[in-house]
Amino acid sequence: MPERAHHDRRRAVAPKVTSRHRPQERSLFSGIYGLVLASALAAALDTTGEKADPGPDALWILLTALTSAAAHGYAHVIAQRATTEETADGTANGATGATRLRLVLAEWPLVAATLPTVAILLTAQAGWWAETTAVDTALLFNTLALFTWGTQAARTAGHRWPSAYRAGALDMLLGLVIIIANALIK
């Protein structure tokens, strides 16, 4: 009997196996948000009947992503500041300036997720193809990336493949909604 109890105790305290390359929840959130943001902006900036201008469109997407990432990070700083207590001498007990900077810089996946769209638009600026084709390619790429990120997030959370594919398909719907809206609006 004692041997069984010892065996159960060892199993209960066994550490979970985690991957060193496992994406964090915040990275997944920021990455998916960045893909949706880039898709929506690319679709909105590519208007029919106007002169194609993919270079400035790419710049607007990048600047919007940088601003959004900074705003998200700063919102985390404000939320953390609101939850920290002040000490008797009136100073905040909690995050340092470096910690706050790390909170803002942790939003880098949002910006990174927009870079493929920016790169695709810049190839149109270089004359490799028309801006409309570049936007359509970026929307397709981002939609497939949403499926991949959603599937990866579900697998990371421990879901089996069928469930992970369903989660990826739901994330992919965000991209499909943008593609359909882009087609209907134009």
Side-chain angles (χ1 to χ4, degrees), residues 137-170:
T137 302
L139 292 177
L140 179 61
F141 175 86
N142 291 346
T143 300
L144 294 174
L146 283 166
F147 175 79
T148 303
W149 278 66
T151 302
Q152 175 62 33
R155 289 293 295 158
T156 299
H159 294 267
R160 296 182 185 265
W161 283 109
S163 176
Y165 287 142
R166 281 192 300 274
L170 286 173

Side-chain angles (χ1 to χ4, degrees), residues 19-20 23 63 78 88 92 101 118 121 131 136-137 152 164 171 175 183:
S19 170
R20 287 181 23 197
L63 288 174
I78 291 171
L101 179 62
V118 170
L121 286 174
E131 181 181 21
D136 292 344
T137 302
Q152 175 62 33
D171 283 359

Side-chain angles (χ1 to χ4, degrees), residues 25 42 56 62-63 86 89 105 182:
E25 179 181 341
L62 186 59
L63 288 174
E86 286 191 11
D89 64 356
L105 294 178
N182 188 39

Side-chain angles (χ1 to χ4, degrees), residues 41 45 53-67 114 117-119 121-122 125:
L41 287 170
L45 291 171
D53 216 357
D57 291 351
L59 182 60
W60 271 114
I61 291 170
L62 186 59
L63 288 174
T64 303
L66 287 167
T67 305
T114 64
T117 301
V118 170
L121 286 174
L122 289 177
Q125 178 69 27

Side-chain angles (χ1 to χ4, degrees), residues 15-186:
K16 279 185 147 181
V17 177
T18 58
S19 170
R20 287 181 23 197
H21 303 289
R22 183 177 171 179
Q24 295 179 352
E25 179 181 341
R26 181 185 239 165
S27 294
L28 290 168
F29 167 80
S30 295
I32 289 171
Y33 186 86
L35 287 169
V36 172
L37 179 70
S39 294
L41 287 170
L45 291 171
D46 179 40
T47 55
T48 56
E50 288 185 8
K51 180 181 174 274
D53 216 357
D57 291 351
L59 182 60
W60 271 114
I61 291 170
L62 186 59
L63 288 174
T64 303
L66 287 167
T67 305
S68 295
H72 277 235
Y74 187 64
H76 287 292
V77 169
I78 291 171
Q80 185 182 48
R81 191 179 295 158
T83 60
T84 59
E85 298 176 13
E86 286 191 11
T87 59
D89 64 356
T91 60
N93 182 14
T96 64
T99 302
R100 291 179 179 140
L101 179 62
R102 277 193 298 274
L103 285 171
V104 173
L105 294 178
E107 296 296 327
W108 70 266
L110 189 153
V111 177
T114 64
L115 294 180
T117 301
V118 170
I120 291 169
L121 286 174
L122 289 177
T123 61
Q125 178 69 27
W128 292 9
W129 50 17
E131 181 181 21
T132 302
T133 306
V135 169
D136 292 344
T137 302
L139 292 177
L140 179 61
F141 175 86
N142 291 346
T143 300
L144 294 174
L146 283 166
F147 175 79
T148 303
W149 278 66
T151 302
Q152 175 62 33
R155 289 293 295 158
T156 299
H159 294 267
R160 296 182 185 265
W161 283 109
S163 176
Y165 287 142
R166 281 192 300 274
L170 286 173
D171 283 359
M172 189 170 94
L173 279 175
L174 296 169
L176 291 174
V177 165
I178 293 170
I179 289 172
I180 291 167
N182 188 39
L184 291 175
I185 291 171
K186 290 181 179 181

